[in-house]
Amino acid sequence: GPKRDGDGRLWLTLNQTIGLKLTATDDWRGWGMMLDDSGTLIPICGGMRSPCGLGANDIGDMFFTDQQGNWVPTGSLHHMRPGVFFGHVDSLKHARLPDSPLEHPGQIPSKIPLPEALDRIPAFKPPAIWFPYRKMGMSATDILCNNTDGKFGPFDGQLFVGDFTMARINRVFLEKVHGEYQGACFPFRKGFQSAIVRMAWGTDGSMIIGETNRGWNSTGKTSYGLERLVWTGEMPFEILSMAAEPDGFTLRFTKPVDPENAEALSSYKMSSYTYIYHQDYGSPEIDAKDLIITRAIVSADRKSVRLVVKGLREIYVHELRANGVTSANGESLLHNDAYYTLNRIPNDN
């Protein structure tokens, strides 16, 4: 940062210190801060490890990305709001400072499944999005909201999130369920020349991407770079969004689907898994289960499919493969995988 929220206020994040301290104090390391109208930095939320991305969504709420490591199972996208703890324990010592909006939760348990940790630790909130390791990158970076009014394809209002190690960009669809953000991440573009660190919009609606391999290596081969990504104007066949339902998910597509393929249960495969909350570096996927899809219902306009799924689990990633879905013109999906972070199942009403 700093970056502005929807009300024009400046926000920033502070990562944990490594090695020698540059100042006499490390107060508020691992915290998100906001600059108020008087010029005072206000601590808002804690529990960050190494936040490398910051940005507002289409209604002005602020988000940050964090990196896999100790206490952080895999890359993640979090909604910043007052008094929330995001899981990294080192920042909790600052919760005892007078200006902290976060009450220290006491002894922190370790080596337990993430859903149990969330139940046991006051103020601990899950991310809106998990980026499963390697499947969706290895080190999430910048956040850029698509506010181009169609100049960058059909994804208006969604977020793009860079990745350092795999030199790629992912796409995020968010929704609110029971007042909290959750949603799905999708692959978007890969093969950039260097690690992606920052992204911005050009006045023409193209994406400008700032890159560097200095510090860590990426799949990109150059030491640094600046690239421009432009939409060709050709509509891709993609899963536009994946929204939670009381008994499954609704997939929305960028083009009408072939109803025969889209209604075939063999066109889809789903599983779910969660992570371990511990001080060790990262986490494997644990408690993985295949899910049973009982129905696939195509909408009248053939641009959405309602999947009825048995065995939904809160605080689990729900991984989708839609290999068999084709468009009405016989096109395969450009990307057939999606990963929904299901923190809360909607009510049936």
Side-chain angles (χ1 to χ4, degrees):
K3 288 188 178 179
R4 296 187 185 276
D5 64 14
D7 295 321
R9 298 169 298 190
L10 288 171
W11 291 65
L12 58 86
T13 57
L14 298 171
N15 66 302
Q16 296 294 338
T17 53
I18 299 176
L20 295 175
K21 296 177 183 177
L22 299 179
T23 61
T25 176
D26 63 351
D27 288 358
W28 308 120
R29 285 288 181 173
W31 283 66
M33 313 288 287
M34 185 185 71
L35 192 71
D36 71 8
D37 293 338
S38 69
T40 302
L41 271 178
I42 306 298
I44 300 296
C45 45
M48 304 171 181
R49 177 181 178 268
S50 185
C52 190
L54 179 69
N57 67 356
D58 59 342
I59 63 170
D61 290 340
M62 292 301 292
F63 292 79
F64 78 95
T65 61
D66 213 342
Q67 310 288 307
Q68 184 194 58
N70 55 326
W71 302 108
V72 183
T74 187
S76 49
L77 175 76
H78 300 260
H79 175 212
M80 299 170 70
R81 64 269 202 210
V84 170
F85 172 59
F86 296 114
H88 198 274
V89 173
D90 292 3
S91 66
L92 283 175
K93 60 184 177 181
H94 311 309
R96 302 191 188 279
L97 295 174
D99 294 334
S100 172
L102 170 62
E103 184 177 349
H104 196 293
Q107 184 67 33
I108 298 297
S110 182
K111 298 187 183 300
I112 59 176
L114 179 71
E116 181 181 345
L118 289 161
D119 283 340
R120 291 174 58 180
I121 303 172
F124 187 15
K125 299 294 183 183
I129 297 287
W130 289 114
F131 298 103
Y133 196 67
R134 293 191 183 275
K135 299 173 183 176
M136 287 296 292
M138 296 169 65
S139 45
T141 58
D142 207 12
I143 301 167
L144 186 63
C145 182
N146 188 358
N147 55 10
T148 64
D149 294 325
K151 294 179 180 178
F152 199 72
F155 309 115
D156 277 350
Q158 297 190 7
L159 302 181
F160 295 107
V161 176
D163 188 83
F164 191 103
T165 307
M166 297 185 72
R168 62 184 281 175
I169 297 173
N170 296 316
R171 176 169 58 88
V172 169
F173 162 79
L174 291 174
E175 60 179 346
K176 270 191 172 181
V177 176
H178 301 315
E180 301 287 345
Y181 282 108
Q182 59 185 40
C185 58
F186 309 86
F188 182 63
R189 297 278 86 184
K190 62 181 181 179
F192 292 91
Q193 65 185 2
S194 189
I196 295 171
V197 179
R198 293 290 177 260
M199 303 179 296
W201 294 117
T203 55
D204 62 349
S206 63
M207 185 186 291
I208 311 300
I209 303 153
E211 307 159 340
T212 179
N213 270 341
R214 291 166 291 192
W216 288 269
N217 290 323
S218 80
T219 56
K221 303 303 181 185
T222 65
S223 295
Y224 52 88
L226 188 67
E227 293 188 81
R228 178 170 172 255
L229 187 61
V230 181
W231 183 39
T232 63
E234 181 180 350
M235 182 65 68
F237 181 46
E238 292 269 38
I239 304 173
L240 180 62
S241 63
M242 181 178 181
E245 304 287 355
D247 58 355
F249 299 93
T250 292
L251 308 179
R252 186 78 180 162
F253 297 87
T254 57
K255 295 181 178 182
V257 298
D258 176 277
E260 183 176 352
N261 290 333
E263 288 181 346
L265 300 185
S266 60
S267 292
Y268 309 92
K269 184 176 181 180
M270 289 198 73
S271 62
S272 64
Y273 45 83
T274 189
Y275 298 102
I276 303 170
Y277 181 65
H278 59 184
Q279 194 171 4
D280 298 348
Y281 197 101
S283 168
E285 296 167 1
I286 65 166
D287 195 18
K289 292 183 180 179
D290 290 334
L291 301 176
I292 299 173
I293 301 173
T294 60
R295 295 184 69 192
I297 308 161
V298 177
S299 64
D301 67 358
R302 295 187 296 164
K303 293 190 76 172
S304 66
V305 178
R306 179 86 143 77
L307 297 179
V308 179
V309 183
K310 282 187 176 180
L312 300 179
R313 295 186 287 178
E314 293 187 335
I315 318 297
Y316 280 67
V317 176
H318 287 64
E319 180 175 313
L320 170 71
R321 294 283 183 271
N323 296 347
V325 177
T326 61
S327 73
N329 295 326
E331 299 170 274
S332 297
L333 285 162
L334 185 60
H335 300 100
N336 55 36
D337 50 333
Y339 305 84
Y340 193 101
T341 300
L342 188 65
N343 294 324
R344 294 289 179 263
I345 297 172
N347 293 332
D348 193 5
N349 55 32

